[in-house]
Amino acid sequence: CVFAMEEADKTAPSVTDRYYTRWYKTDMKGKPCEDHCILQHSNRICLITLAETHPILQNGRKIKNINYKISDGCSRLNNKVSGKSKRGGQFLTEFAPLCRITCTDNMEYTVFSCIRGRLLEVNEDILKHPDLLLEKPSTDGYIAVILPKLEESKSITNGLLTREQYEEVVSKRTSQQQEPC
Amino acid sequence: QWMFRSLDMDLYEADDQPSCEASDPTQTEDPPSKKLKLETLQAGDDGGTETLTANAEPKVQSEICVACLGVLQDFCDQSYTTQVIIEVLFIFPKLHQSYILLLDNFMLITPGVKIQSGFEVSVGFTHAETDGDCHFLYVATTCSDCFKPTKNKASVFTRMAVVKALEKISDQKFLSNYPCPPVHPATRCTPLDTTLLHASVFIAGRYNKFSRELPQTPWVIDGERRMEGSVEELIAGPLLSSFRADGFNFSSSGREDVDVRTLGNGRPFAMELLNPHRARFNKAEIRQLQETINTSSDKIRVRDLQIVTREAMGRMKEGEEEKTKTYSALIWTKKPITHTDLDFIKNIKELKVDQKTPLRVLHRRPLAVRQRVIHSMSASFLDTHHFKLQLHTQAGTYIKEFVHGDFGRTKPNLCALMDSEVDILELDVESVDVDWPPAVPE
């Protein structure tokens, strides 16, 4: 199989391309450009990540702090699941906050769940290495892993945009010459 | 067979015959109080205050035995029994309760004899009146964990679960929740159809998988078959027809993905053939069966096919942590590489890897971190973006995730070690280092 390889590597689909579908939520909660990208695996598990157009990833911003404690009574770090059915995981709705990120320029951003489902884990690596989020936002810098209910695994994408739709939204922004985020 | 020897003349007289009729007249003289106690029991009172005269006749109407629920009373005559070996099933709480009673008062010699046979005749009985008897075991907190609610089974009170709970519960707790002596049943049990069963035959071997489009077990989602065929079906086909079996259970020492080949000596597997109408095969016939499987498909190959015992099935799963496997993978690198970039790989020994449950199986596996060891590796350069990687790892290591890192959830990983995005294009299992089943000389 050495033969197909030479051609393959130019367009080599990555692990993400092969197993995940990209969905997008733009201007989350009306905030301009706060775009999220949801990677949906064929087994229905979803990864919440920052889309490449998110303000945190623009203009060479640096991260000062990432806080998974979203309220006095709730920290995503306390999330514990057990067993095959992942009992105990916090149930999230679309607008449930996952974490708050503060940049060195004191801009504060909240990352949201975007989909309904059970929180399985949040990425603790970015607490120790915030640069991961800046350098590899679509892989090692993911924010959280969510398991939607079996019955809802198809409907959760109803409120989300496909890759093509997302690209349209982005190109409209540039053409309307909006403030770069 | 039950044998009672009386140590303490409290309840029953010494009696060598198996007997279920508590009103059996005694042979020797007995003090009046003895008969009194006998009749108090018969009336179903435990320690009742009714006074009966010493000469009162035992009740004429036949009592249904509290231990066998009538099986030994009414269902043991010639017309009901057959001449083959009978395995009789009792509902357990009654049996257990009597056992405690008898332990206090008698030296009990093993009730029931387990008979090994290739052919089983099951004579079953059902007794609705006492179906709920064992339910108190679920409420008793010490053993409620023996009962696991499953969607598949009709009732959570399976024989295994009840036996486990009875072993766990203390005699005192049992007796405080269940009457001792037991309440006499009002009805006798009713017989179920007699069922006949051939004892399962276990057949083991090793299989190779040469196709990258073949799942090990049938791939079905929402009742729809996603890919035709499977390793287990290809092996089971000829076996089911030769053994004339009704079905099978397939088990193997690990699994490989659909797109992974299994080369070398192959992966050990064992198959339980259910209700085989033909069970005796000599070595030559088994060799013939192996040939038949091998010629039926070029996607798999079977070797060392042999009949084994039920205990042997467990051998495959044992030592799963200690066993090792070797793999060969085709790796793609984003960064262009040279021969020297691969030199460091052969120097890596006993690399400990922490693997969070891979995202691709997380929907059906618990979330956990597993530490695994990669014993050694070697690499062969192919071109500026490809090389072949050989690995010798502990069983249970997820190779694909070690290569691409699974979003950083497997650490360390090959991406980090090579400081480049890498991906796995192909994977082969080169060996499964388990020395069972024993090799069968060709």
Side-chain angles (χ1 to χ4, degrees):
Chain A
C1 190
V2 192
F3 350 104
M5 277 180 341
E6 297 292 347
E7 303 153 21
D9 70 285
K10 303 237 163 55
T11 51
S14 63
V15 172
T16 308
D17 297 325
R18 280 181 287 147
Y19 298 107
Y20 296 83
T21 311
R22 292 180 170 86
W23 298 95
Y24 294 85
K25 186 86 185 172
T26 51
D27 307 313
M28 189 65 182
K29 279 220 172 174
K31 303 218 176 122
C33 298
E34 288 193 23
D35 305 331
H36 294 53
C37 175
I38 296 95
L39 297 174
Q40 184 190 40
H41 193 280
S42 46
N43 67 15
R44 89 180 194 272
I45 287 204
C46 292
L47 277 162
I48 311 303
T49 70
L50 298 180
E52 60 250 43
T53 44
H54 197 286
I56 293 176
L57 305 175
Q58 316 303 321
N59 304 332
R61 281 198 171 89
K62 287 287 181 200
I63 294 177
K64 188 159 83 175
N65 174 257
I66 299 177
N67 194 357
Y68 279 114
K69 186 168 187 204
I70 53 160
S71 74
D72 281 333
C74 180
S75 166
R76 300 303 181 197
L77 292 175
N78 292 337
N79 194 65
K80 290 253 172 327
V81 295
S82 65
K84 244 190 257 186
S85 40
K86 323 294 186 298
R87 270 165 299 166
Q90 295 163 5
F91 194 82
L92 307 172
T93 54
E94 293 94 318
F95 297 110
L98 289 172
C99 66
R100 295 198 214 288
I101 299 176
T102 315
C103 295
T104 47
D105 61 359
N106 287 323
M107 293 295 288
E108 230 192 63
Y109 303 93
T110 304
V111 181
F112 294 93
S113 170
C114 305
I115 55 167
R116 286 168 53 85
R118 205 187 282 272
L119 179 65
L120 297 189
E121 70 179 48
V122 290
N123 190 350
E124 296 190 28
D125 285 345
I126 57 176
L127 290 177
K128 297 172 227 156
H129 307 284
D131 282 350
L132 259 181
L133 179 50
L134 301 172
E135 289 159 23
K136 298 185 181 176
S138 308
T139 52
D140 294 30
Y142 71 93
I143 307 287
V145 180
I146 297 179
L147 177 68
K149 286 191 193 180
L150 185 54
E151 326 71 92
E152 293 179 9
S153 45
K154 300 228 167 79
S155 60
I156 47 156
T157 55
N158 286 345
L160 305 174
L161 305 175
T162 62
R163 175 85 198 172
E164 291 76 38
Q165 293 167 329
Y166 165 70
E167 283 171 354
E168 261 177 68
V169 171
V170 173
S171 62
K172 277 208 190 102
R173 285 180 191 156
T174 341
S175 66
Q176 284 165 9
Q177 293 187 325
Q178 282 174 358
E179 285 278 326
C181 303
Chain B
Q1 291 164 328
W2 292 67
M3 289 181 58
F4 308 102
R5 285 178 78 77
S6 169
L7 298 175
D8 172 12
M9 303 281 277
D10 243 3
L11 292 164
Y12 292 98
E13 287 306 308
D15 190 348
D16 285 349
Q17 314 297 324
S19 167
C20 275
E21 293 173 60
S23 51
D24 221 356
T26 58
Q27 253 115 61
T28 56
E29 277 209 351
D30 55 333
S33 61
K34 201 158 295 292
K35 257 211 169 119
L36 186 71
K37 277 197 177 161
L38 226 55
E39 280 147 16
T40 310
L41 267 180
Q42 282 180 354
D45 295 344
D46 30 355
T49 50
E50 269 218 64
T51 319
L52 301 168
T53 66
N55 294 326
E57 292 290 346
K59 285 196 175 157
V60 172
Q61 107 194 59
S62 73
E63 296 283 350
I64 297 155
C65 168
V66 100
C68 76
L69 303 175
V71 172
L72 294 179
Q73 291 171 290
D74 298 312
F75 295 105
C76 283
D77 57 5
Q78 206 71 26
S79 64
Y80 196 81
T81 58
T82 65
Q83 265 150 30
V84 298
I85 293 164
I86 295 171
E87 187 180 347
V88 183
L89 308 166
F90 285 100
I91 298 175
F92 262 70
K94 288 289 185 191
L95 188 68
H96 190 80
Q97 187 281 328
S98 306
Y99 188 64
I100 294 175
L101 190 67
L102 295 163
L103 268 181
D104 287 337
N105 295 286
F106 297 91
M107 189 165 74
L108 187 70
I109 297 167
T110 322
V113 180
K114 189 76 181 164
I115 295 159
Q116 298 280 9
S117 165
F119 185 74
E120 190 180 278
V121 178
S122 274
V123 183
F125 301 91
T126 173
H127 193 237
E129 192 187 323
T130 51
D131 265 350
D133 275 14
C134 57
H135 291 187
F136 74 91
L137 290 169
Y138 186 59
V139 178
T141 44
T142 42
C143 41
S144 56
D145 59 334
C146 299
F147 299 99
K148 286 170 192 135
T150 64
K151 299 158 208 166
N152 295 334
K153 303 217 166 72
S155 167
V156 96
F157 295 101
T158 59
R159 183 175 168 154
M160 282 293 293
V162 172
V163 169
K164 266 205 189 121
L166 288 173
E167 280 167 8
K168 267 185 118 167
I169 200 172
S170 67
D171 283 359
Q172 294 96 302
K173 195 139 194 190
F174 182 95
L175 291 170
S176 69
N177 278 294
Y178 197 80
C180 176
V183 176
H184 266 282
T187 57
R188 70 170 197 198
C189 56
T190 42
L192 298 167
D193 287 340
T194 304
T195 54
L196 310 175
L197 191 71
H198 292 269
S200 289
V201 165
F202 298 86
I203 191 149
R206 301 179 82 109
Y207 72 82
N208 286 106
K209 178 159 99 77
F210 302 122
S211 163
R212 293 198 190 278
E213 288 166 6
L214 186 70
Q216 198 211 45
T217 51
W219 190 357
V220 180
I221 297 184
D222 296 332
E224 229 183 81
R225 182 66 90 109
R226 288 298 163 95
M227 198 174 268
E228 279 312 307
S230 65
V231 173
E232 70 169 35
E233 286 167 312
L234 289 174
I235 297 176
L239 295 178
L240 283 177
S241 58
S242 311
F243 282 78
R244 301 211 301 273
D246 291 345
F248 66 92
N249 285 325
F250 181 85
S251 183
S252 66
S253 183
R255 274 191 302 198
E256 61 285 308
D257 290 340
V258 173
D259 57 350
V260 175
R261 295 186 306 179
T262 306
L263 309 175
N265 266 348
R267 185 184 298 278
F269 72 90
M271 195 168 266
E272 178 184 5
L273 295 168
L274 305 168
N275 201 20
H277 289 72
R278 182 188 163 186
R280 279 190 283 245
F281 285 77
N282 61 37
K283 290 204 168 70
E285 289 165 325
I286 297 288
R287 252 198 309 272
Q288 180 55 51
L289 261 177
Q290 184 172 291
E291 256 317 291
T292 308
I293 296 174
N294 290 337
T295 47
S296 72
S297 168
D298 57 356
K299 295 183 179 176
I300 61 154
R301 196 210 142 158
V302 177
R303 72 179 75 212
D304 301 335
L305 201 65
Q306 56 199 266
I307 292 184
V308 295
T309 63
R310 183 187 285 272
E311 288 66 46
M313 294 276 282
R315 288 227 43 203
M316 255 188 339
K317 299 294 188 187
E318 87 185 7
E320 267 196 339
E321 306 279 299
E322 296 91 59
K323 297 307 180 189
T324 64
K325 317 232 162 117
T326 58
Y327 299 89
S328 135
L330 178 59
I331 308 293
W332 169 85
T333 63
K334 187 164 189 177
K335 224 168 58 169
I337 52 164
T338 64
H339 283 88
T340 43
D341 290 324
L342 301 176
D343 281 344
F344 78 99
I345 289 177
K346 61 180 184 295
N347 296 325
I348 296 177
K349 300 285 173 217
E350 306 305 313
L351 179 67
K352 288 205 181 76
V353 174
D354 289 314
Q355 302 197 284
K356 277 198 195 158
T357 308
L359 293 170
R360 67 185 165 96
V361 301
L362 188 52
H363 62 297
R364 57 183 165 84
R365 289 264 154 81
L367 179 62
V369 183
R370 293 169 188 85
Q371 195 178 78
R372 288 290 183 264
V373 178
I374 296 184
H375 300 296
S376 64
M377 293 189 280
S378 67
S380 339
F381 181 89
L382 289 172
D383 66 48
T384 47
H385 290 279
H386 300 91
F387 68 94
K388 234 357 161 43
L389 179 69
Q390 313 277 359
L391 309 97
H392 182 217
T393 75
Q394 181 183 4
T397 309
Y398 285 95
I399 304 300
K400 293 178 180 176
E401 278 69 18
F402 168 69
V403 171
H404 59 62
D406 191 34
F407 294 82
R409 297 166 75 259
T410 285
K411 286 196 278 233
N413 58 66
L414 197 61
C415 287
L417 292 172
M418 295 197 63
D419 193 28
S420 159
E421 196 184 309
V422 296
D423 201 357
I424 182 166
L425 299 182
E426 278 175 9
L427 181 62
D428 290 332
V429 178
E430 296 285 354
S431 76
V432 176
D433 308 321
V434 173
D435 54 14
W436 182 92
V440 172
E442 297 277 325

